[in-house]
Each structure stands twice: as structure tokens, then as C-alpha cells.
Amino acid sequence: MLRTHNCGQLNMVNVNQVVLLSGWVQKSRDLGGMTFIDLRDRYGLTQLVFNMETNSELCMQARKLGREFVIQVKGIVAERQSKNSKMPTGDIEILVNEIQILNVSKTPPFTIENETDGGEEIRMKYRYLDLRRNPLKDNLLLRNQLSFEVRSYLHGNDFIEVETPYLIKSTPEGARDFVVPSRMNPGTFYALPQSPQTFKQLLMVSGYDRYYQLVKCFRDEDLRADRQPEFTQIDCEMSFIEQDDILNTFEGLTRYLFKKVKGVEMSSFPRMLYDDAMRLYGSDKPDLRFGMPFVELNELAQNKGFSVFDTAELVVGICATGAASFTRKDLDGLTDFVRKPQIGAKGLVYVRVNEDGTYKSSVDKFYSEADLQSWAAKMNAKAGDLLLILSGDTHPTRKALNELRLEMGNRLGLRNRNTYAPLWVVDFPLLEWDEESGRYHAMHHPFTSPKPEEMHLLETDPAKVHANAYDLVINGVEIGGGSIRIYDKDIQSRMFSLLGFSEEDAKSQFGFLMNAFEYGAPPHGGIALGFDRLVAMFGGSDSIRDYIAFPKNNSGQDVMISSPSSISDVQLKELNLVVKLN
Amino acid sequence: MLRTHNCGQLNMVNVNQVVLLSGWVQKSRDLGGMTFIDLRDRYGLTQLVFNMETNSELCMQARKLGREFVIQVKGIVAERQSKNSKMPTGDIEILVNEIQILNVSKTPPFTIENETDGGEEIRMKYRYLDLRRNPLKDNLLLRNQLSFEVRSYLHGNDFIEVETPYLIKSTPEGARDFVVPSRMNPGTFYALPQSPQTFKQLLMVSGYDRYYQLVKCFRDEDLRADRQPEFTQIDCEMSFIEQDDILNTFEGLTRYLFKKVKGVEMSSFPRMLYDDAMRLYGSDKPDLRFGMPFVELNELAQNKGFSVFDTAELVVGICATGAASFTRKDLDGLTDFVRKPQIGAKGLVYVRVNEDGTYKSSVDKFYSEADLQSWAAKMNAKAGDLLLILSGDTHPTRKALNELRLEMGNRLGLRNRNTYAPLWVVDFPLLEWDEESGRYHAMHHPFTSPKPEEMHLLETDPAKVHANAYDLVINGVEIGGGSIRIYDKDIQSRMFSLLGFSEEDAKSQFGFLMNAFEYGAPPHGGIALGFDRLVAMFGGSDSIRDYIAFPKNNSGQDVMISSPSSISDVQLKELNLVVKLN
């Protein structure tokens, strides 16, 4: 070893020991006859001291060391005169006797500090330098800790990790596949998995009743800030279970992780019907760190002469506790907010519940004090609260009010990153109608089981059928989702036909699964958690990119290695491919 | 849960409990008025009992259950009259009250037994049924256990697991890449990693001084029985270390695994120079479960009038202990063996050391008793031993004698699967000459460090330069290998130019790494262990395919899912590709 200790390890116990340290020069300071260098490695910083009086040659050598030089030093651990209680090694310093320069460094293109002066682009290009900074290092350490704890928990609960293949088969259903041309089988392609879905179901057929895998998945989609073409899933499947067993197991995992990694004790997670989540929060992933549930006001607010409400399918509001103090300007700001094209409300009605028990609203012309009082009563509003009301068609109005609710949560400081509000949203619709293709799509995926008691509606009113499908939501973020699967070949056939698969298509794409179901498939179900997003949530951030060592940019490029890139004609020829740009 | 217990769990402690079990019908037997069913799940078998007298309806129902039906039963645990001490549940049986058929099964295409009647091809097609059989199940459980223990050990030793990207950049060096066309960047391709080599080195530059990853790697090679296009590596890298630190760390891992998983205590691993391994065993992966080292006989055997030896570059033999009893027919068989084209020796000379101290050889015409005695003495042969001698050009002769030595090991029963002989082979040559391309190739890879004391030979006699490169070998199988890396930009440039890279090529392919080396790269090195092979070794098999859940066949196909397959014209068009078959 080129060191006896690391740079985060030494303290008063080690005083007078001769030690060997290796690391990077974080910074150096010349103070009179002394030179101080902070030596950095993964574990921390240690202060090195050089004395011009006692060893001028060595001190001169130390003064010439640039930032990010890699050095090895030998010296004696000494107690510091002025201790730094903020550093684990702050009680000591190293009186250096020898320096060896292990490698030199050019001046980095940005500072290697917690707050850096480098822009996004240059830091992506020099990702290996950005990764030296504590914030990114802490993110990767957190990721490592979480993946280890996920495995510990699942392993301890009899789950076995099985690696499923990466070179699989392209299926047109769902998002776009990345494909991989096969040289040995000319003209054919593998696909990279969007998830190991069918393989984990086959493992259930094989009898491996508790499967998991931390696995890379791939989707060739146009990227948004929080999407990556390759991402990591905690993928799980269980047999001989019912929906509650899955929820309990993965609630257990989540609570274990919060306890172990963040020291946060969580009580049991509320379970909310999808229909209720939409009705009460206008979202299938409500942020429950704060209340402000939707209250529907059709009965109280319609037929009083206010045509906007009278012609609306839905009149619905939220009560913002203590927000009656919002100024006219604040309220105008909120109106502008809900009118933004991506939110799309036409206007916003407000009612202030004044401290003196009177009301002030934007619709005073149409409604009496008694009317407003009845709204306030229904919405459980108290003096000092603010009612915010939207109206229009049900779905877009709920969607807009969801955005307004979250915005109010932000403005009122109710969305603290260190508070965690998990819940299960259950009983999602089985299908969703796709206007573009004029047919139903599976809301979760084609293997999701309809609720048995609604099975009879499959042919007559498929939109009404709910699924045994569930999402784990924390702080308004969908952390994962899953479903109880179909395990009966005939029901699976019916599903495929409902989704517009011809019998031939279903067979060519999923024939192996349908076949497998003929040989004793057990009842089973599972879940997949987005690991990148889970880590980001633990890290207190929305950006998964900061929790991935080498992410792609929004064009799917790795600008550090300049990938993707062209390949040679020889390679193309071997693959029987011609590139034809449009 | 559709069960209160699993099928491997119940014993005398549970007698009189009411239990719910779920599983597959392994087999059923009707004996007089009783029907017995073995119910199977991942955990074991439990005997179910149905009594025609007490409940004829239920018993009739049980008799109709076919093999591999999935059922749920409710019943009472009872002590068996005739116990089966070979089964963990052999003391008890379940007196069943209720049966529910969870799913039916067609008759499987082969028997789900430890020894099956199904051929390779049909079992690959119905892999999900083959995986129900104990041998394959045990393999996957072993794999799961090993991966968990590998992570435990490395995690406990401050290694952090970092996920490196799967969509990287194609490099023509080494084996063929699988490539992935980029839709968002028309005409360009990602490549799937053959290993995360450059990324793990960048992580060292970033300061993550102990990295590991269990990671899928991809090579588009023509397949042999023990190769797969996708395979799993335990990939590791360390900074601020020397070669011995890596060897000690991964020797530690290996010993931990053998102790933990197989209960085998290993002493420290011998370390053998590559040159010695070649000289003493004719192989860079000697099987040290037995001795029989090569003994060179040029001095003793040449210039005695036997022209075959006289004209040979090398005369070399092994002494097979106790094999003097080999018959003439045995010896003819060995001669045929070494003459096989893939071994390529021209002939085999033998010397029997008879029990009475006399010698009998195939070259008695040319050598006196004293000559033969001098050979025997040099080879440490005793009465009853057999000397087997080959001659010819050094390299092919050693190669052939290696094969003969292994064959003798087999014939003499010296290669016991439950004995483990690990060693490190160190100081591999840096380069190997490639006749076809007329240039040097990196024996390990282009990032491997030459031994500093031989650096001066790089330009004058590159073939003589050894590398700080090492392999872990167990029982003649290469389990993994690695090297100390170059971390100096100029040495890396010299290596690239020695390997025939133009400056431009080196820059376009590895520019990011060369750049990274300018910003303070630490001394580092690493290793990669073949996880599939390691698991197979622990399982006592040579076939990695039996330790992979869903392997490909020798044509790179997954015959279960019929992959690779053609993709749609829409997909091809989006990727700007045209398939052009030759």
C-alpha cells in the first residue's frame, strides 16, 4: 500500500505515530515560515505542515505543489495548536519529513470544491473531475449504501437475485426499444430490455417464488431532465401472494431503508384508491406532506347565476390554511400561474376568510355572504384561510388544481425535503384510451390482472375495469409500481385481443409466456422501483443525473467519451447494415 | 399469502397445526385406500395424504391432479408412520381437508426430476420448466449466494459499487463489440461494454480508491461451449496500491468465499512467475491439484545418437507416479492422444521404472540403463513410476506436454472436483506478436503497466518486457486476471504507438482517458473475475451455461423467446438503417 492510513482517519489517538498518506493536494497556504497543505482522498482531508525553519528544502518543494497534484507523504502525527472541530481529522496535523510526487496535474478547468465555478457542460465533459467534488462523491456513496441495504433486506427475506438477459427480443408494445444487430444471425436484432418483465414472470412459473434484481433497463425515448436512456430498477416478483403481501413487503423495504440510511422511522403507509387520489388531489401521485384536499362545490356553487360555474362539469377548490394574508398581487400571481398553457385553467376564484369572520371573494357579485360561508364550512376553512377554486371539465380541472395545490404547498413552505410522506395508490384503471391510435392501451402493462369482481365488464365497458395495480408514491414522486399478474392463458389472450393484438402478433411476441402459462403458472405479482429516483429522493434532490456516475445528456450523448459515434465500414458490413441518412 | 408455510419447512414441531401450503404436484401414488401427493416448491417437498375412507370425494379429487398442477391445500400436520430421514420434512405429512386448484398443467415435455429424460434442445426451449429441476435450481441459488457474499466481503472492505454505463463507445481493439444504433443521433452507434475498463480507471482518477461492480459484459465472438455473448464479471479497481495489495485482497475474497460457501479453508495461494508456469507446466493456468512438473532433459538425452531428440529444441518430460503399470495398450493410447491434431506431438517416448529397479523404454535402442537412470534421477522417479517425454520446438512441445499432463491427471484420478488448488500466475509478458497483423498486441490490454525495471527494453526488445499483470487460477481454470495500470500519459502514449495506434486513433478512441491522466491520476490497478466461471467452479462443473438462468445457445440465440429476430421497417427507418444481406 502506498499509505498506512487514509486522509479521514487520523485523530488524537494517532499522535506521534509515523504515517504514510497518499492523496490529492486540495489547497495550500503559506503563512510566514509555515506551509500548510490539505491532502484529500475519498475519506476526507488531512492537514500537512512544512516548516521553513526546520527543513527549508522540503518546504520549498511543498510550495511548488499545484492543486490536484497526487502526492505521497511520510510524517509524524502531531496535535494541532488550533483545532478544527468541523473536520474529523481537525485535531491533528502531519509534520512531513518526505514528499513524493506520484503524479502532476494541470490546473483543472473548474474548481474542485463543494461549490464549483464550472458550468454544466464543462463538468459533464470532465465528469471524472466533477466526481472528485464532495456533493457528487456523497451521492455515489449514498447510492452504494442504498443498493447494499436493498440487497441485504431482500436477501434476508428469502428473495434470490437472478440475472436476466440483456440481449432479448424487440416488442413493439410500449416505449421504443434499443436494438442490437446480430452478426451471427444476419438481418436479425436483439433488443435491450425495457424491463425484465417477462423473464421474471417466467421465473415465477419456474418456482423461484421471491425474485429480485437491481438491473439496468433501457428506453429509447426523447429525454427529459429526469430521464436517462439507461436507468436502474429494483425489480421484484413474488408467487403465492395477494396484493397486500406485495405492499407489505415493499413497504417493509422502504421503511428499512429510511430507518437504516436516514434514521427516519416511518409508520405504516396509507393506501389510497386511484379514484380517490384523482378526486382528492387530482393526481395519481399526491404529495401528502401537506393536506389541502380537493373539495367539490358543484352543489353549493352552481345555479346561483355565475355562468362560469353553472356551465362547468366540476367546481372544485382547496383551502390554504392561513393564506388569507395573500395580497392582491399574490392572488394575481396565482391566477397567472393557473392560466399558464401547461396548466390551462381559464381563471381562478378565491375566497378570503377574514379574521373577523367576513368573506372577501373574487365572485362577491354572484354569491352572498351565506353562500361563501357554506363553501367555507364544507371546506373546513377557518378565519385566516384562503379558498382557491377552479372549474371546468373534470379531468383538466383536477389536473390544474393539482398544480395549484403543489404551488401553494411550495409557497407555504409545506414541502420540506426532510419530511417524508409515503403512500400506496391502488386499483389503477386497467386500460386507458389512446386517441391517436383509437384503441385501448394497458395503463400498467399487458400482463396486469383485472380485478376479478370487474372481469365481467371487460367486453362491455372496459374503461370501467380496475386493475390489481399499485404505485408507491413518496412526496409526490412515483418511486415504483407494480401489479398482480394474469397467470391464466385465456385471460391473457383476452387482454391481448382487447389491446388490439392479433392472435398472430400475440403469439410471435409473447408466445413463450402464453406457453409457459400452460404448464402450471402460480398466482404471482411484483413491483419495480426506480432506483435512480429512490437514491435522488434519499439525497434530497429531483435530479437523477447527479446520482449516476456517468450519465447521458438530453441528446443521449456521453460528451466525456464522445459517444455515440460512427463505426467502421468493416463493422457495418459484418452486421449486414447500411446507414441511410434521410 | 396463499400459504402459511413453505414445502421445506414443516417438521415434528408443527404436528397438529393447521397449515396452508401451495405448490406443484411433483408426483402422486395411490396405495389401497390412501393417496399420497408430493407437493413441491422452491424450498422442498411435503407429503400430502388423502384417505378414501374418511373423505372419498376429496381423495377422488386428489387422484385427478396431474403432474405440475398448482394447488393450494389446507390440512393438519401429522407424524408419519414410516419416516423418511432423507427429507427435511420426512417426519411429517399433511392430512388434507381442502384442495384448491390454482392452475392446471399440460404434461411437461420432459420429466421434472433430478435426472430428466429431456434433451438439451427441448430443455432450452422450455427453460422455464428445466429451471424447476433441482440441479438448475441449486445452481441459481448458489449463484445468488455467491454474488451476495462477494458484495458482503467487498462492501466490508470499503469497496464501493459504482454502476458504469452500458451504452458506451465502440473501440476496434480486442474482441468485436456489440453495437446499438442511436436514433437520436442518426448514423451513430453506442457499443455495449466488453468490460468497464476505462470507466473504472476514470473512477480511480476521480478518487474512488476501491471500486467494484458485478456487471454484465458483452463480446460478439463466435461461441464455444463455455462462452456466452453476455457474461458477468466481478470487476474491481484499487488506487494507491502495489501488485501484492491486489493479490492479497482478492486472495482474501476467494478464501472468504470458499470458507463461507463450501466450508473449505484455504492456505495462502502460491505465486508463480508466468515464465516458470510455462517452463514447469507448459501453461499459464496450471492445474496444481497434482504435481508432475516438467523436467527438461536436453542435457542428459541429447547427443546420444537419437536424432529425434538431437534435433529438438526441447526434450521435456513428466514423471507419472505409480504409472509403470500402464500396459502397452495404455501407452499406445497415450501416443495416439498426443498425436491428435489439436495436440500435435509427433510421438511419445516412455520409460517405465520397474519395481526391480530396471528400466523399460521405447528408446532402449539409443539409451543405456545408466542413461535412463540419470533421467529418472533428474525427474525424481521411483520404482513403479512412468516417465513420459516429448520433444520438438519449445512452445508447441510444452503445450502438448501440458495436455498430456492433464490427461495423466485425469487417468490417475488426481483431478478431484472437491479439491481446490489456487495460485497466482504473475508477470505475464506485456505484448504478444500477432503473425496475422504483423504487429504486437497487448497480452492483457493496452492499459497494462510494463514492469518499471524492464521499461528500457520497450523500444529495443519489446517481446522481452514483462507486465505487472496477473491471473488467478484454480484447478487449471483461469478465474480472473488483472494488472497494475499505466497512469502516466506519456507511457500510455508510448504503449499505444507500440501497439500500432496512430496518434489520431489513440486520441479519438481513448483521448478522454489520456486527458484524465493529465489531471492527477493516482497509481492504480485492478482485476476482473469471471463470475459465471467462478460459480461453475463452486458448483463443480465446467459448463457456465448451467449457472445462467437464461443462456444463449452456440449461435447466440435464445430459442425460448426466439431471439434475435427481425424488427419492423418502421424501427429500421427510425434508426436510419437498411439491412443488406450478402
Side-chain angles (χ1 to χ4, degrees):
Chain A
M1 295 279 178
L2 306 184
R3 59 187 173 197
T4 54
H5 297 77
N6 65 49
C7 293
Q9 198 174 5
L10 297 169
N11 55 41
M12 289 300 292
V13 170
N14 306 96
V15 166
N16 289 327
Q17 287 180 14
V18 174
V19 297
L20 202 59
L21 295 182
S22 291
W24 287 262
V25 172
Q26 176 71 26
K27 63 178 175 193
S28 69
R29 306 179 297 288
D30 296 332
L31 296 177
M34 311 285 274
T35 291
F36 297 92
I37 287 180
D38 283 347
L39 190 67
R40 187 194 71 232
D41 67 11
R42 175 185 139 195
Y43 310 89
L45 290 173
T46 298
Q47 179 165 294
L48 311 179
V49 189
F50 302 85
N51 192 324
M52 199 53 135
E53 256 174 53
T54 57
N55 192 338
S56 63
E57 200 182 328
L58 192 72
C59 195
M60 286 308 291
Q61 202 188 335
R63 286 185 181 181
K64 284 185 199 137
L65 297 172
R67 282 193 177 218
E68 303 305 319
F69 273 42
V70 189
I71 61 170
Q72 185 189 38
V73 297
K74 193 173 181 177
I76 292 171
V77 183
E79 182 171 2
R80 275 204 216 181
Q81 296 203 321
S82 58
K83 294 185 180 166
N84 179 346
S85 63
K86 286 180 197 151
M87 291 173 71
T89 62
D91 288 353
I92 58 93
E93 59 195 6
I94 311 295
L95 309 179
V96 177
N97 306 123
E98 290 171 30
I99 304 180
Q100 201 191 333
I101 296 178
L102 298 174
N103 216 338
V104 297
S105 174
K106 295 205 297 193
T107 304
F110 48 87
T111 54
I112 311 296
E113 305 277 356
N114 290 0
E115 300 288 333
T116 181
D117 56 357
E120 171 85 8
E121 208 166 322
I122 190 102
R123 287 189 290 115
M124 286 291 276
K125 184 166 176 213
Y126 293 88
R127 183 73 171 179
Y128 46 86
L129 296 180
D130 207 20
L131 288 173
R132 284 185 187 168
R133 298 192 309 112
N134 283 328
L136 281 179
K137 185 193 73 178
D138 292 343
N139 291 353
L140 293 196
L141 290 176
L142 173 66
R143 187 179 180 109
N144 171 61
Q145 189 191 0
L146 272 168
S147 67
F148 189 79
E149 293 299 348
V150 166
R151 286 193 166 95
S152 293
Y153 180 88
L154 293 172
H155 189 83
N157 281 277
D158 274 340
F159 282 79
I160 74 165
E161 185 161 31
V162 179
E163 295 172 61
T164 53
Y166 279 85
L167 297 173
I168 66 165
K169 184 173 174 160
S170 188
T171 55
E173 181 73 1
R176 249 186 232 99
D177 287 322
F178 281 105
V179 298
V180 181
S182 165
R183 178 183 56 86
M184 288 175 76
N185 302 276
T188 65
F189 295 78
Y190 303 99
L192 299 177
Q194 296 187 26
S195 97
Q197 184 61 35
T198 49
F199 288 96
K200 69 177 175 175
Q201 292 195 241
L202 291 178
L203 286 171
M204 294 305 110
V205 174
S206 300
Y208 298 77
D209 55 9
R210 294 180 160 223
Y211 145 90
Y212 82 101
Q213 190 181 192
L214 266 77
V215 62
K216 274 279 176 79
C217 300
F218 304 85
R219 267 178 218 170
D220 184 10
E221 292 177 310
D222 300 317
L223 302 175
R224 300 195 311 249
D226 62 339
R227 289 270 178 94
Q228 285 281 315
E230 48 177 308
F231 54 97
T232 304
Q233 238 172 240
I234 307 172
D235 193 54
C236 303
E237 197 80 5
M238 298 172 81
S239 290
F240 301 123
I241 45 76
E242 292 165 305
Q243 177 164 309
D244 268 358
D245 300 313
I246 306 238
L247 304 194
N248 291 337
T249 303
F250 291 92
E251 184 169 323
L253 169 64
T254 310
R255 292 165 69 176
Y256 172 84
L257 294 176
F258 271 98
K259 175 79 180 124
K260 193 93 183 178
V261 176
K262 298 207 71 85
V264 171
E265 292 273 9
M266 283 181 162
S267 50
S268 68
F269 299 3
R271 295 174 190 188
M272 189 182 290
L273 294 176
Y274 169 89
D275 290 345
D276 288 344
M278 294 309 288
R279 190 169 49 77
L280 292 172
Y281 301 98
S283 168
D284 59 2
K285 39 178 187 284
D287 184 345
L288 294 193
R289 279 175 295 184
F290 63 105
M292 264 191 241
F294 292 7
V295 179
E296 298 187 358
L297 297 173
N298 291 41
E299 260 178 57
L300 299 177
Q302 285 182 327
N303 305 316
K304 301 273 179 171
F306 181 45
S307 70
V308 172
F309 280 3
D310 289 351
T311 57
E313 197 180 358
L314 180 69
V315 181
V316 61
I318 53 175
C319 169
T321 306
S325 57
F326 270 40
T327 63
R328 181 72 215 195
K329 200 177 150 204
D330 292 333
L331 292 166
D332 286 347
L334 289 178
T335 305
D336 291 345
F337 175 84
V338 298
R339 277 183 174 153
K340 284 197 294 186
Q342 62 270 42
I343 296 184
K346 292 212 185 67
L348 172 66
V349 168
Y350 73 83
V351 181
R352 274 207 199 96
V353 188
N354 295 320
E355 294 292 349
D356 61 5
T358 62
Y359 296 88
K360 169 69 196 145
S361 85
S362 54
V363 288
D364 284 352
K365 257 192 287 184
F366 302 98
Y367 296 96
S368 68
E369 192 87 354
D371 287 332
L372 299 179
Q373 187 170 21
S374 74
W375 300 3
K378 182 152 192 201
M379 295 173 81
N380 277 321
K382 296 176 310 294
D385 291 353
L386 175 70
L387 314 184
L388 296 169
I389 301 162
L390 297 180
S391 64
D393 287 347
T394 301
H395 186 68
T397 302
R398 283 178 174 168
K399 211 164 149 281
L401 191 58
N402 166 53
E403 297 293 343
L404 179 60
R405 176 178 171 271
L406 295 176
E407 176 66 15
M408 288 304 292
N410 287 335
R411 294 198 182 195
L412 297 171
L414 303 172
R415 304 181 74 193
N416 181 346
R417 286 199 181 281
N418 298 313
T419 305
Y420 300 95
L423 81 154
W424 290 103
V425 178
V426 301
D427 293 3
F428 274 68
L430 182 67
L431 303 167
E432 59 186 345
W433 182 256
D434 182 58
E435 287 296 343
E436 204 178 316
S437 58
R439 63 180 182 85
Y440 284 107
H441 279 294
M443 193 144 177
H444 187 53
H445 56 48
F447 314 110
T448 298
S449 168
K451 289 194 92 65
E453 62 273 25
E454 294 176 350
M455 198 83 89
H456 63 282
L457 296 172
L458 264 189
E459 269 82 24
T460 54
D461 198 354
K464 284 247 173 71
V465 179
H466 292 82
N468 277 322
Y470 33 82
D471 273 1
L472 174 61
V473 175
I474 305 179
N475 294 1
V477 176
E478 180 199 325
I479 294 296
S483 64
I484 300 300
R485 324 299 185 189
I486 297 166
Y487 63 102
D488 178 279
K489 194 200 168 201
D490 295 334
I491 300 176
Q492 189 64 69
S493 290
R494 272 168 77 188
M495 268 304 287
F496 281 136
S497 102
L498 213 67
L499 296 171
F501 280 77
S502 71
E503 206 165 314
E504 200 180 343
D505 281 354
K507 201 175 158 187
S508 91
Q509 287 171 42
F510 299 110
F512 60 96
L513 190 68
M514 314 268 277
N515 280 344
F517 283 179
E518 301 213 78
Y519 292 98
H524 64 286
I527 196 167
L529 308 179
F531 186 59
D532 305 293
R533 193 148 299 159
L534 186 74
V535 182
M537 155 117 354
F538 271 77
S541 164
D542 296 327
S543 162
I544 64 170
R545 200 178 289 181
D546 295 339
Y547 296 82
I548 295 172
F550 299 102
K552 309 273 189 291
N553 71 12
N554 280 353
S555 310
Q557 296 161 337
D558 182 331
V559 294
M560 179 185 70
I561 63 170
S562 306
S563 163
S565 60
S566 58
I567 60 173
S568 72
D569 292 341
V570 177
Q571 276 175 295
L572 283 170
K573 195 163 176 210
E574 280 189 332
L575 297 170
N576 300 285
L577 288 179
V578 175
V579 169
K580 193 180 160 194
L581 300 176
N582 298 318
Chain B
M1 295 280 177
L2 306 183
R3 61 186 171 197
T4 55
H5 297 77
N6 66 50
C7 293
Q9 197 173 7
L10 298 168
N11 55 41
M12 288 300 292
V13 171
N14 307 95
V15 166
N16 289 327
Q17 288 180 12
V18 175
V19 296
L20 202 59
L21 295 183
S22 290
W24 285 262
V25 173
Q26 175 70 25
K27 63 177 175 192
S28 69
R29 306 179 298 288
D30 298 331
L31 295 177
M34 311 285 273
T35 291
F36 297 93
I37 288 180
D38 283 346
L39 191 67
R40 186 195 72 234
D41 67 12
R42 174 185 140 196
Y43 309 89
L45 290 173
T46 298
Q47 180 165 293
L48 312 179
V49 190
F50 303 85
N51 191 324
M52 200 52 138
E53 254 174 52
T54 57
N55 192 338
S56 63
E57 200 182 329
L58 191 72
C59 195
M60 286 307 291
Q61 202 188 337
R63 287 186 182 183
K64 284 185 199 136
L65 297 172
R67 283 193 176 217
E68 302 304 319
F69 273 44
V70 189
I71 61 170
Q72 184 188 40
V73 297
K74 192 173 183 178
I76 293 171
V77 183
E79 182 171 2
R80 275 203 217 181
Q81 295 205 321
S82 57
K83 293 182 181 170
N84 178 347
S85 63
K86 285 181 199 151
M87 292 173 70
T89 64
D91 288 353
I92 59 92
E93 58 195 7
I94 312 296
L95 309 178
V96 177
N97 305 125
E98 290 171 32
I99 304 180
Q100 201 192 333
I101 297 178
L102 298 174
N103 216 337
V104 297
S105 175
K106 295 205 297 193
T107 304
F110 48 87
T111 54
I112 311 295
E113 305 275 357
N114 290 1
E115 299 289 334
T116 182
D117 57 356
E120 171 84 8
E121 209 166 323
I122 190 102
R123 288 190 290 115
M124 286 291 275
K125 184 167 175 207
Y126 293 89
R127 184 74 171 179
Y128 47 85
L129 296 180
D130 207 20
L131 287 173
R132 285 185 186 169
R133 298 191 310 112
N134 284 327
L136 281 179
K137 184 192 72 178
D138 293 342
N139 291 353
L140 293 195
L141 290 176
L142 174 65
R143 187 178 180 109
N144 170 60
Q145 190 191 0
L146 273 168
S147 66
F148 189 78
E149 294 299 348
V150 166
R151 286 193 165 94
S152 294
Y153 180 87
L154 293 173
H155 189 82
N157 281 276
D158 274 341
F159 282 79
I160 74 165
E161 185 160 32
V162 179
E163 296 170 61
T164 53
Y166 278 84
L167 297 173
I168 65 165
K169 184 174 173 160
S170 189
T171 55
E173 181 73 359
R176 248 185 233 100
D177 287 323
F178 282 106
V179 298
V180 181
S182 165
R183 178 183 57 85
M184 288 174 77
N185 302 276
T188 65
F189 295 77
Y190 303 98
L192 299 177
Q194 296 187 28
S195 97
Q197 183 62 33
T198 50
F199 288 96
K200 69 177 175 175
Q201 292 194 242
L202 289 178
L203 286 171
M204 293 306 109
V205 174
S206 300
Y208 297 77
D209 56 8
R210 294 181 159 221
Y211 144 91
Y212 82 100
Q213 191 181 189
L214 267 78
V215 62
K216 275 278 175 79
C217 300
F218 304 85
R219 267 178 219 170
D220 185 11
E221 292 177 308
D222 299 319
L223 302 175
R224 301 197 310 249
D226 62 340
R227 288 271 179 93
Q228 286 280 315
E230 47 177 308
F231 54 97
T232 305
Q233 235 173 242
I234 308 172
D235 193 53
C236 304
E237 197 80 2
M238 298 172 82
S239 291
F240 301 122
I241 46 75
E242 292 164 304
Q243 177 165 309
D244 267 358
D245 300 314
I246 306 237
L247 304 193
N248 290 338
T249 303
F250 292 92
E251 184 169 323
L253 168 64
T254 310
R255 292 166 69 177
Y256 172 84
L257 295 176
F258 271 98
K259 175 80 180 121
K260 193 92 182 179
V261 175
K262 299 206 71 86
V264 171
E265 294 272 9
M266 284 182 164
S267 50
S268 68
F269 299 3
R271 295 172 190 189
M272 190 182 291
L273 294 175
Y274 170 90
D275 291 344
D276 288 344
M278 296 307 290
R279 189 171 48 78
L280 291 171
Y281 301 98
S283 168
D284 59 2
K285 38 178 188 282
D287 185 345
L288 294 194
R289 280 175 295 185
F290 63 105
M292 263 191 242
F294 293 7
V295 178
E296 299 186 358
L297 296 173
N298 291 41
E299 260 178 56
L300 297 176
Q302 287 183 326
N303 305 316
K304 302 274 180 170
F306 181 44
S307 69
V308 173
F309 281 4
D310 289 352
T311 58
E313 197 179 358
L314 180 70
V315 180
V316 61
I318 53 176
C319 167
T321 306
S325 57
F326 271 41
T327 63
R328 182 72 217 192
K329 200 177 149 203
D330 293 333
L331 292 167
D332 287 347
L334 289 178
T335 305
D336 291 345
F337 174 83
V338 299
R339 278 183 174 154
K340 284 197 292 186
Q342 62 270 39
I343 296 183
K346 292 211 184 68
L348 171 67
V349 168
Y350 72 83
V351 181
R352 274 206 200 98
V353 187
N354 294 322
E355 295 292 348
D356 61 4
T358 64
Y359 297 88
K360 168 70 194 144
S361 84
S362 53
V363 287
D364 284 351
K365 258 193 284 185
F366 301 98
Y367 296 96
S368 68
E369 193 89 353
D371 287 332
L372 298 178
Q373 189 170 16
S374 74
W375 302 3
K378 181 152 192 198
M379 294 174 83
N380 277 321
K382 296 177 309 292
D385 293 352
L386 175 70
L387 314 184
L388 297 169
I389 301 161
L390 297 180
S391 63
D393 287 348
T394 301
H395 186 68
T397 302
R398 283 178 174 167
K399 210 165 148 279
L401 190 59
N402 166 51
E403 297 293 342
L404 180 60
R405 175 179 172 271
L406 294 176
E407 176 66 15
M408 287 306 291
N410 287 336
R411 293 198 184 193
L412 297 171
L414 302 173
R415 305 182 74 192
N416 181 348
R417 285 198 181 281
N418 298 313
T419 304
Y420 301 95
L423 81 154
W424 291 102
V425 178
V426 301
D427 293 2
F428 275 68
L430 181 67
L431 303 166
E432 59 187 345
W433 181 256
D434 183 57
E435 286 295 344
E436 205 178 315
S437 58
R439 62 180 184 86
Y440 284 107
H441 279 294
M443 193 144 178
H444 188 51
H445 56 48
F447 315 110
T448 298
S449 168
K451 290 194 93 65
E453 62 273 24
E454 294 176 351
M455 198 84 88
H456 63 282
L457 295 171
L458 264 189
E459 268 81 25
T460 54
D461 198 354
K464 283 247 172 72
V465 179
H466 291 82
N468 277 322
Y470 33 81
D471 274 0
L472 174 60
V473 175
I474 305 178
N475 293 1
V477 176
E478 180 199 325
I479 294 296
S483 64
I484 300 299
R485 323 299 184 187
I486 297 167
Y487 62 102
D488 178 279
K489 194 201 168 202
D490 296 332
I491 299 176
Q492 189 64 68
S493 289
R494 272 169 77 188
M495 268 304 287
F496 282 136
S497 102
L498 212 67
L499 296 171
F501 281 77
S502 71
E503 207 166 312
E504 200 180 343
D505 281 354
K507 202 176 158 186
S508 91
Q509 288 171 42
F510 299 111
F512 59 97
L513 189 68
M514 314 267 277
N515 280 343
F517 283 179
E518 302 212 80
Y519 293 97
H524 63 287
I527 195 167
L529 307 179
F531 185 60
D532 306 293
R533 194 148 299 158
L534 185 74
V535 181
M537 156 118 351
F538 271 77
S541 165
D542 296 326
S543 163
I544 65 171
R545 200 178 289 180
D546 294 339
Y547 295 82
I548 295 172
F550 300 102
K552 309 272 189 292
N553 70 12
N554 280 352
S555 311
Q557 296 162 337
D558 181 332
V559 295
M560 180 185 71
I561 63 170
S562 305
S563 164
S565 60
S566 58
I567 60 173
S568 72
D569 292 341
V570 177
Q571 277 175 294
L572 283 171
K573 195 163 176 211
E574 281 189 332
L575 297 171
N576 300 286
L577 288 180
V578 175
V579 169
K580 192 179 159 195
L581 300 177
N582 299 318

